[in-house]
Amino acid sequence: GLNFIDLMVRQGNIDNPPKTPLVPGFECSGIVEALGDSVKGFEIGDRVMAFVNYNAWAEVVCTPVEFVYKIPDDMSFSEAAAFPMNFVTAYMMLFEVANLREGMSVLVHSAGGGVGQAVAQLCSTIPNVTVFGTASSFKHEAIKNSVTHLFDRNADYVQEVKRISTDGVDIVLDCLCGENTGKGLSLLKPLGTYILYGSSNMVTGETKSFFSFAKSWWQVEKVNPIKLYEENKVIAGFSLLNLLFKQNRGGLIKGVMDKLLNLYNTKKIKPVVDSLWALEEVKEAMQRIHDRGNIGKLILDVEKAPTPLVS
């Protein structure tokens, strides 16, 4: 699976970026080739998907058993590689952090991306949830049925949302950061939750350091705790990779994956795969994400031959 965080790693826009040489990638699917001595519940030949703390973009991947899950029989390998990061992130934010319930409203940015599409599908499993989404205008035709109200990512979405829902929304999911933080907080209803789960606006080719960006962002958007208290608003952050690999919550994530696979098996959710790319084409694949050209998930396929370049 190819995720926006991979672009941030490549540019060094994360705290403590790993030293090179480096194999990137945090999720994959494949067939079990070998097992550790104490591993139970899996056999050689099993079809599995897994989280990996780097090194996922490889022909052979090694990861602890707690991060590995069996693939349902009717799920393809490409769907399985598109499943864990996006759906676990979306599920955790909606249900574990923001406590999504019937009748609530959600604003999600990058509604055409992998997480955005997962959020839209999970919201549809709860009655009467209104989903406001922002996306590039060329994606609107393809994703218009997945959200209730769709806005151009360059439009004044704050006014558009308030025109439809005068008191705002219950949940804001922000993967953009920067000026959108203040806008998102302004749209929250009382007892609403704003969750920052990414900062894709950092990947512009201009910002070299996470801290220089954080400093400039913090000067623009100061979050006043007293104001949160007066307005009854919740501000939260979510990082699935930190939860898995730094905070040892693999058991919690396994419970979430069980629920998600049940939703998949009952045909309530289905990962959206944008396109498959050969490993040699990773530059072009990353550019497609950088340009926000994708609808759903990009997959690196080790069995795919590169597409010949037309002279």
Side-chain angles (χ1 to χ4, degrees):
L2 190 54
N3 295 286
F4 217 101
I5 184 74
D6 297 310
L7 275 70
M8 295 174 66
V9 169
R10 192 189 81 186
Q11 291 202 346
N13 280 334
I14 58 169
D15 193 10
N16 295 320
K19 295 187 171 47
T20 54
L22 168 73
V23 177
F26 297 102
E27 65 183 337
C28 61
S29 65
I31 296 167
V32 175
E33 288 203 357
L35 301 167
D37 293 339
S38 58
V39 169
K40 305 229 176 358
F42 292 93
E43 295 177 6
I44 291 172
D46 282 349
R47 301 168 73 244
V48 296
M49 53 186 151
F51 292 109
V52 195
N53 194 9
Y54 293 103
N55 299 307
W57 298 354
E59 291 164 315
V60 180
V61 173
C62 184
T63 195
V65 69
E66 69 171 317
F67 302 136
V68 182
Y69 315 92
K70 286 185 180 170
I71 299 176
D73 290 342
D74 58 348
M75 184 186 277
S76 67
F77 283 117
S78 56
E79 282 183 328
F83 193 80
M85 285 272 285
N86 292 164
F87 275 97
V88 171
T89 296
Y91 188 98
M92 293 286 293
M93 291 194 300
L94 290 171
F95 298 107
E96 300 282 338
V97 181
N99 196 16
L100 177 67
R101 300 184 301 284
E102 181 174 349
M104 281 188 165
S105 53
V106 179
L107 168 66
V108 60
H109 294 297
S110 301
V115 174
Q117 286 293 289
V119 165
Q121 290 185 28
L122 288 169
C123 285
S124 72
T125 67
I126 305 296
N128 303 323
V129 171
T130 304
V131 181
F132 297 91
T134 69
S136 303
S137 54
F138 70 88
K139 297 184 183 182
H140 286 202
E141 186 60 32
I143 66 171
K144 64 183 181 185
N145 295 328
S146 65
V147 299
T148 324
H149 303 285
L150 191 54
F151 311 121
D152 189 306
R153 65 183 297 265
N154 297 314
D156 183 0
Y157 62 84
V158 174
Q159 293 309 313
E160 293 288 332
V161 172
K162 286 188 171 171
R163 187 173 55 78
I164 297 164
S165 174
T166 50
D167 54 349
V169 297
D170 296 293
I171 300 168
V172 174
L173 304 177
D174 181 11
C175 60
L176 302 177
C177 199
E179 64 181 22
N180 293 281
T181 303
K183 291 178 178 179
L185 278 168
S186 74
L187 277 172
L188 276 188
K189 293 180 183 178
L191 303 183
T193 304
Y194 162 94
I195 306 174
L196 180 70
Y197 71 97
S199 39
S200 60
N201 279 347
M202 283 172 29
V203 182
T204 61
E206 297 160 17
T207 305
K208 292 287 180 284
S209 148
F210 175 85
F211 293 106
S212 67
F213 177 87
K215 182 181 171 195
S216 63
W217 173 67
W218 202 246
Q219 288 169 339
V220 174
E221 295 293 354
K222 286 193 170 67
V223 177
N224 184 340
I226 302 296
K227 201 169 173 207
L228 291 177
Y229 148 76
E230 289 173 345
E231 296 181 355
N232 280 302
K233 292 181 177 179
V234 178
I235 185 166
F238 183 77
S239 162
L240 176 56
L241 295 176
N242 284 349
L243 206 61
L244 279 168
F245 303 126
K246 290 184 179 174
Q247 296 156 345
N248 303 316
R249 294 297 192 275
L252 172 65
I253 304 303
K254 182 168 188 338
V256 170
M257 277 293 280
D258 289 344
K259 292 173 185 170
L260 287 167
L261 289 171
N262 185 46
L263 287 170
Y264 177 86
N265 288 328
T266 53
K267 301 201 164 25
K268 302 266 178 58
I269 60 174
K270 185 179 176 66
V272 178
V273 175
D274 175 81
S275 47
L276 303 181
W277 302 74
L279 287 176
E280 294 88 343
E281 298 171 324
V282 66
K283 176 188 167 192
E284 292 80 4
M286 279 191 152
Q287 191 64 45
R288 182 167 171 81
I289 290 188
H290 185 282
D291 296 341
R292 293 175 166 82
N294 58 302
I295 296 172
K297 188 71 161 242
L298 277 75
I299 302 295
L300 294 177
D301 185 348
V302 295
E303 294 183 341
K304 186 179 185 296
T307 305
L309 294 174
V310 178
S311 60

